[in-house]
Amino acid sequence: MTDFKFLWQNQPTEENGMITLSDIRERAQALQARVRLRNGALYLYSLANIAITLWLVSKGVSPRYTAPGLLIAAAHLFVIWQLWWRTNARAFPPHLMGAAALDYLRHELTRQRDALSGAWLWYVIPFMPGLVWELWLRATLHPANLPPAIDRIMVLFLVLSALFFWTAVLMTFQWGAAKLDIRIE
């Protein structure tokens, strides 16, 4: 007969695979640092676009593109607010222990994943009215000094560039959401 006491005492343990409170704190701090870096880069990008747009409008560089440019600047302000509201990095409360700390980290990962997977709604859509208006103006108002064939090629290039850029933005957000999904599991 097998000695159950011997088997029980000598069974392999899971200590190497267990997560400790210090691991949870390190992961939470790493998540917070990544979120702050990502949001900081997006804030800087938006503020730079707003500054350039307002400078171009104040100089009167292209008066017919003033309204679409202001719509895009307003979209940047909306996106800055959404970034702060939806994805700001929340600090890990120092008083949490054990399962509560793990639940907090899982909740933060889930919140970030949900924000990134829904970015098409709060990040991409606000830019579309101004972008479509600007592309429509470029397609219908032909410069006098450009041959029509070159003008059509430039409009096609702008449309394809916009499609490529916004597809890349969406794919980047979806990739980030998928990475967070893996970490949650």
Side-chain angles (χ1 to χ4, degrees):
M1 180 169 225
T2 309
D3 187 10
F4 288 111
K5 183 178 179 182
F6 176 78
L7 287 174
W8 177 72
Q9 289 176 340
N10 293 317
Q11 69 182 342
T13 60
E14 296 181 8
E15 288 178 16
N16 293 338
M18 292 177 64
I19 189 168
T20 64
L21 185 58
S22 62
D23 289 339
I24 294 172
R25 289 191 191 286
E26 287 174 15
R27 289 180 187 188
Q29 289 171 349
L31 172 68
Q32 188 178 15
R34 281 192 308 276
V35 168
R36 283 191 176 144
L37 182 65
R38 178 198 66 209
N39 286 0
L42 291 172
Y43 291 146
L44 285 175
Y45 171 75
S46 290
L47 291 174
N49 276 304
I50 291 169
I52 290 169
T53 301
L54 293 179
W55 180 77
L56 289 172
V57 167
S58 71
K59 294 293 182 185
V61 172
S62 187
R64 63 181 161 192
Y65 297 115
T66 298
L70 291 176
L71 265 178
I72 290 174
H76 277 291
L77 289 172
F78 177 77
V79 163
I80 287 172
W81 173 66
Q82 288 291 306
L83 268 172
W84 173 82
W85 183 61
R86 290 178 187 266
T87 68
N88 64 342
R90 295 182 181 164
F92 186 80
H95 66 279
L96 291 181
M97 302 296 277
L102 192 57
D103 288 342
Y104 178 82
L105 180 59
R106 183 180 301 274
H107 172 72
E108 282 301 302
L109 288 169
T110 304
R111 189 175 71 84
Q112 291 294 322
R113 182 212 45 212
D114 293 345
L116 292 182
S117 64
W120 65 272
L121 181 62
W122 61 267
Y123 193 87
V124 176
I125 296 295
F127 290 104
M128 290 305 115
L131 179 66
V132 168
W133 189 356
E134 186 173 336
L135 290 174
W136 178 78
L137 283 174
R138 290 189 188 275
T140 57
L141 302 174
H142 304 291
N145 57 352
L146 261 168
I150 292 177
D151 186 43
R152 279 189 229 111
I153 290 172
M154 288 189 62
V155 168
L156 180 64
F157 175 75
L158 289 172
V159 169
L160 291 176
S161 296
L163 282 173
F164 175 77
F165 175 79
W166 287 109
T167 301
V169 166
L170 277 175
M171 289 177 66
T172 302
F173 278 120
Q174 294 305 315
W175 177 66
K179 279 179 49 178
L180 287 171
D181 216 13
I182 291 169
R183 289 189 62 203
I184 291 167
E185 294 301 321

